[in-house]
Amino acid sequence: MTQFDPAALLVTRSQSADEGPIIRMAQRARELRAKGMDVVSLTVGEPDFDTPENIQAAATAAMKAGFTHYSPVMGIPELRSALSRKLKAENGLDFGANEICVANGAKQAIANAILSIIGPGDEVVMLAPFWVSYEILVRFAGGTPVVLHAGVEEDYKVPAARIAAAVTPSTKLVILNSPSNPTGAVWSREELEALASVVKGHPHLMVLSDEIYEYIIFGGEMVSIGSLPGMRERTITVNGFSKGFAMTGWRLGYAAAAEPLARAMGRIQSAVSAGANQFVQRAAIAALEGPRDEVERMRLRYQARRDMVLEGLRAIPGVRIGEIPATFYAFPDVSALLGRKAGNHLLDTADTLCDWLLEEHGVATVPGTAFGAPGSIRLSFACSEAEIEKAMTRMRKALENLT
Ligand code: PLP
């Protein structure tokens, strides 16, 4: 009898669900560090700050008060009401507590949304560069990603006319992420209005608006597309606590949408997990309604780091970078460097360039291939100023000597 091979049972879904380069680069950076190499890692998208004290204290108090049991699948009523108030006051979004589904992270909220409305044959417009999980989830749902790309010369924002031209009778969703991971781009009110009029021109088209970086914005206005006229019913707004409140490990996010959609998202979530952790939900109320000085302090630190990164990258010949009005990512276009050589080493793709920067110069970044933009690389500057300084010096030395 032939030997049983568990791997032979895998279906393509489990093989295609690969966040690939980000995990691979972070892992390789750890391995090299373990071997004693001095590596600066600019790979992961997570705040290097601890969660603010008042939020930690609220979680501890809630835990001690016995909030350690299962919670309602769509979230505790107190948090859903607090979120309804927050969305109204900060985003101009009018959603009742019954139209909000709290999830175990924004990622789960996005999965709930996509699995609720996308099925085989449905097309989803993806605006590259995009966060890699969107594409994985669309494929999970059996949908077809339709990728439109905007580079640095368009401020990484696909113009509405190109989106309009890509919409077919099968298109159901446009995924919008403003402020954007990986580019830091922020859509202006006018740009969102143009997108909204495209969406409103089609009977079956909606927007999934991922607003998780809303508090890490350095200039310009944060506009929620769901607040524009006629967009309330056509928008699923996703947000979470991971980035702005430095709560990545707490796993809390949410989606707001018209009630039938909110309920559908709850059903999907109920099938695969359950309600989010109770004491975390209570801490989230403290995050929303308590002082925001720590959130502001972190934002200012990111802004100072953004300035350092911009200055560092602009000093490297062949690297193109626009403004970074938000987030803690830089997404420089390195296409002018691809095809050049470092000694005998041909840097033909962003992947080889990133591997070489890590292995030879101790700077870990992520190739843009992971974000649908193979001519760029992503740097996360959610790390110390000293690390940024070191990384910029190393990158300049490495990249200015290519032949
Ligand atoms: N959306 C974007 C654009 C992100 O970059 C991330 C995390 O990297 C998430 C959603 C996921 O957030 P959460 O930690 O709440 O699942």
Side-chain angles (χ1 to χ4, degrees):
M1 210 168 87
T2 51
Q3 215 179 349
F4 177 69
D5 175 13
L9 270 62
L10 296 175
V11 294
T12 46
R13 188 187 307 123
S14 57
Q15 281 151 327
S16 63
D18 177 14
E19 284 189 56
I22 307 180
I23 309 284
R24 185 171 62 76
M25 293 304 286
Q27 175 62 25
R28 185 71 188 133
R30 276 194 293 272
E31 283 166 15
L32 291 174
R33 265 193 198 138
K35 285 189 187 156
M37 185 170 168
D38 173 16
V39 173
V40 191
S41 183
L42 309 180
T43 52
V44 291
E46 100 164 307
D48 55 324
F49 302 108
D50 289 332
T51 306
E53 270 305 322
N54 66 309
I55 304 173
Q56 294 190 28
T60 312
M63 203 187 306
K64 292 244 163 75
F67 292 110
T68 54
H69 299 267
Y70 282 132
S71 70
V73 171
M74 293 179 71
I76 58 172
E78 297 89 332
L79 176 59
R80 294 170 82 196
S81 298
L83 287 168
S84 168
R85 288 192 295 276
K86 178 259 183 237
L87 291 171
K88 179 81 187 143
E90 297 180 9
N91 307 91
L93 292 169
D94 228 332
F95 288 93
N98 58 327
E99 295 175 302
I100 293 169
C101 182
V102 174
N104 298 279
K107 191 188 253 189
Q108 185 174 39
I110 295 164
N112 290 339
I114 291 174
L115 292 170
S116 293
I117 62 170
I118 299 303
D122 293 335
E123 291 174 9
V124 179
V125 171
M126 319 251 324
L127 307 174
F130 51 70
W131 184 48
V132 58
S133 294
Y134 302 139
E135 190 182 2
I136 293 171
L137 289 168
V138 168
R139 290 195 193 280
F140 254 33
T144 307
V146 175
V147 178
L148 306 179
H149 188 268
V152 57
E153 60 290 341
E154 288 179 313
D155 284 337
Y156 308 105
K157 291 177 273 190
V158 180
R162 284 229 301 281
I163 299 175
V167 173
T168 74
S170 303
T171 315
K172 262 192 167 169
L173 193 64
V174 177
I175 301 183
L176 175 72
N177 176 214
S178 171
S180 150
N181 171 11
T183 67
V186 179
W187 287 56
S188 70
R189 184 175 291 275
E190 293 68 37
E191 287 160 345
L192 292 173
E193 278 166 355
L195 172 57
S197 42
V198 173
V199 172
K200 286 186 282 183
H202 296 274
H204 302 295
L205 194 52
M206 286 197 74
V207 175
L208 177 82
S209 178
D210 177 352
E211 305 182 358
I212 195 159
Y213 292 97
E214 72 171 335
Y215 294 145
I216 308 175
I217 186 161
F218 313 125
E221 190 192 5
M222 170 70 207
V223 180
S224 295
I225 190 166
S227 70
L228 299 182
M231 288 303 289
R232 195 197 105 92
E233 308 294 319
R234 289 193 180 250
T235 309
I236 302 173
T237 304
V238 170
N239 208 326
F241 293 80
S242 288
K243 313 291 175 168
F245 294 105
M247 290 174 67
T248 43
W250 298 60
R251 312 308 306 128
L252 198 68
Y254 57 94
E259 200 186 9
L261 292 183
R263 272 194 272 115
M265 291 191 275
R267 287 195 296 274
I268 299 279
Q269 180 163 307
S270 167
V272 295
S273 64
N277 178 318
Q278 279 249 34
F279 54 83
V280 166
Q281 293 191 59
R282 289 188 187 266
I285 300 173
L288 289 172
E289 299 189 339
R292 293 279 176 93
D293 352 357
E294 282 298 299
V295 172
E296 177 59 4
R297 197 180 60 81
M298 293 189 275
R299 188 187 72 81
L300 291 172
R301 287 283 291 279
Y302 295 131
Q303 183 166 356
R305 294 166 179 183
R306 185 276 312 258
D307 293 344
M308 290 177 70
V309 168
L310 273 182
E311 195 188 322
L313 291 175
R314 284 182 176 149
I316 307 174
V319 169
R320 289 205 302 155
I321 179 87
E323 301 302 326
I324 307 174
T327 76
F328 39 65
Y329 306 107
F331 199 64
D333 183 318
V334 294
S335 51
L337 302 177
L338 302 181
R340 310 257 291 264
K341 279 184 165 173
N344 287 330
H345 202 89
L346 176 66
L347 304 175
D348 52 348
T349 63
D351 294 71
T352 21
L353 180 87
C354 289
D355 285 342
W356 169 79
L357 273 177
L358 174 56
E359 305 285 336
E360 301 295 324
H361 299 277
V363 182
T365 57
V366 184
T369 16
F371 307 94
S376 296
I377 64 175
R378 190 189 77 172
L379 287 62
S380 161
F381 49 87
C383 58
S384 73
E385 287 77 3
E387 284 173 301
I388 294 172
E389 182 98 48
K390 202 190 255 186
M392 289 299 117
T393 309
R394 288 181 183 183
M395 282 181 67
R396 193 170 83 222
K397 276 204 190 122
L399 296 173
E400 71 188 2
N401 290 320
L402 300 180
T403 53

